[in-house]
Amino acid sequence: MFRVNEIRSLHRINFMMEILGYLAAVLIGISLGMIGGGGSILTVPALVYLMGTAPVDATAYSLFIVGATALVGAFQKYRDGLVNMKAALVFGIPSIIAVFLTRALIMPAIPDVIGSFAGYVVSKDLFIMMVFAILMVIASITMIRGSKNGAAADTSINHQLNLPLIFLEGALVGMLTGFVGAGGGFLIIPALVLLAKLPMKTAIGTSLLIIAAKSLIGFTGDIVHLKIDWALLGIFTSLAVAGIFLGNRLAHKTNDQQLKKAFGWFVLIMGIYIIYRELSGHS
């Protein structure tokens, strides 16, 4: 009898975790719709801790979920005239190449056990999650501090694009995206504002197009060597797409800077929690 109750309790916990995972999918879409980034940083933790997906698989799934959701958002922004195609090409092409090569060649080459350090067994999964958590902390600090250049960028027009720096930034963000499965909007948007001199709203729309292209193409590098759970991807992506429609509506009614700071604190707490959980579990 005790065993039966224990099994039922585990089933209830798993069911609640799954529901929280699907709610996180909606939150991911809302964030992408409102601030053009940030939400994708939650996709891998939601898949790993709430849906029980292996970290390597989660980084691949994240590329598809974020890419498909961002594509819908980019189409909406394009209709509103908030996508700069030239900046998207200059940034997007090196980023797409880098993320595809990272997923197709670099990720499969990383051994399952990398080594040991200070009493910790450094597995491939631990390495990915630690890099991801550190990235979350850095991203959260950026969101909390806010952009000092956003307001100035809204009034700037007809500035010449800094093509070499935009190209280099695109390649670096592409490699990072391929490794951890995050869209990188929190890196792309500042680059478009500072280097391409785009207004903030145009930078957000352009960022969504870049995220969509590099994430979906990067995902194709995983199809050959991973068994894809298309049912999970379909449900999770559909909820995220629903979230981005809601996020676009809320964007017209909400102060995006206040939202970004609040979201930044949430991401910071999540990043610190992941570091603690991974280190305590792999000692």
Side-chain angles (χ1 to χ4, degrees):
M1 183 64 179
F2 176 76
R3 181 63 178 171
V4 172
N5 289 335
E6 185 180 358
I7 293 173
R8 287 177 178 173
S9 177
L10 287 174
H11 281 312
R12 283 195 294 268
I13 292 173
N14 289 335
F15 177 74
M16 290 303 299
M17 295 289 277
E18 189 173 336
I19 294 299
L20 288 174
Y22 290 136
L23 289 175
V26 178
L27 179 61
I28 289 162
I30 290 174
S31 178
L32 282 169
M34 294 189 72
I35 60 178
S40 57
I41 203 79
L42 293 179
T43 311
V44 169
L47 290 170
V48 172
Y49 297 126
L50 299 177
M51 309 305 290
T53 307
V56 175
D57 293 348
T59 60
Y61 290 6
S62 176
L63 290 175
F64 180 86
I65 294 163
V66 171
T69 307
L71 183 62
V72 174
F75 178 71
Q76 292 179 296
K77 299 293 185 184
Y78 181 79
R79 289 190 306 176
D80 295 334
L82 297 176
V83 174
N84 185 302
M85 295 303 297
K86 182 177 180 181
L89 288 173
V90 174
F91 194 104
I93 290 175
S95 185
I96 289 169
I97 294 172
V99 72
F100 179 82
L101 292 178
T102 300
R103 296 304 304 186
L105 302 178
I106 297 177
M107 291 297 288
I110 300 176
D112 291 335
V113 178
I114 298 173
S116 60
F117 177 77
Y120 293 95
V121 177
V122 183
S123 65
K124 183 177 183 178
D125 287 349
L126 173 62
F127 186 57
I128 290 172
M129 293 307 296
M130 287 299 295
V131 171
F132 198 91
I134 293 170
L135 185 63
M136 289 180 75
V137 171
I138 294 172
S140 68
I141 293 172
T142 302
M143 286 186 280
I144 291 168
R145 292 178 61 187
S147 173
K148 297 180 180 179
N149 300 280
D154 283 332
T155 61
S156 60
I157 55 174
N158 295 328
H159 284 270
Q160 185 176 0
L161 299 180
N162 191 331
L163 299 182
L165 282 178
I166 296 174
F167 190 92
L168 178 61
E169 177 93 6
L172 292 175
V173 171
M175 289 184 63
L176 192 60
T177 294
F179 186 73
V180 301
F186 55 88
L187 296 173
I188 297 172
I189 293 173
L192 294 175
V193 170
L194 296 174
L195 302 180
K197 307 299 182 184
L198 298 184
M200 181 61 73
K201 289 185 178 181
T202 304
I204 290 173
T206 307
S207 170
L208 287 174
L209 179 60
I210 295 169
I211 289 171
K214 68 188 179 68
S215 297
L216 290 174
I217 293 176
F219 175 73
T220 63
D222 288 296
I223 294 177
V224 176
H225 55 83
L226 283 183
K227 184 178 180 180
I228 308 297
D229 186 346
W230 291 107
L232 172 62
L233 274 185
I235 297 173
F236 211 93
T237 304
S238 297
L239 291 171
V241 168
I244 204 168
F245 279 109
L246 180 58
N248 275 328
R249 287 182 174 272
L250 294 175
H252 300 292
K253 304 176 181 179
T254 309
N255 185 316
D256 62 334
Q257 291 302 321
Q258 291 179 348
L259 174 71
K260 189 177 292 186
K261 286 186 178 182
F263 191 81
W265 282 109
F266 176 70
V267 172
L268 177 62
I269 294 170
M270 283 292 298
I272 294 172
Y273 170 74
I274 290 173
I275 292 173
Y276 167 77
R277 174 167 175 151
E278 292 298 321
L279 291 180
S280 61
H282 288 79
S283 59

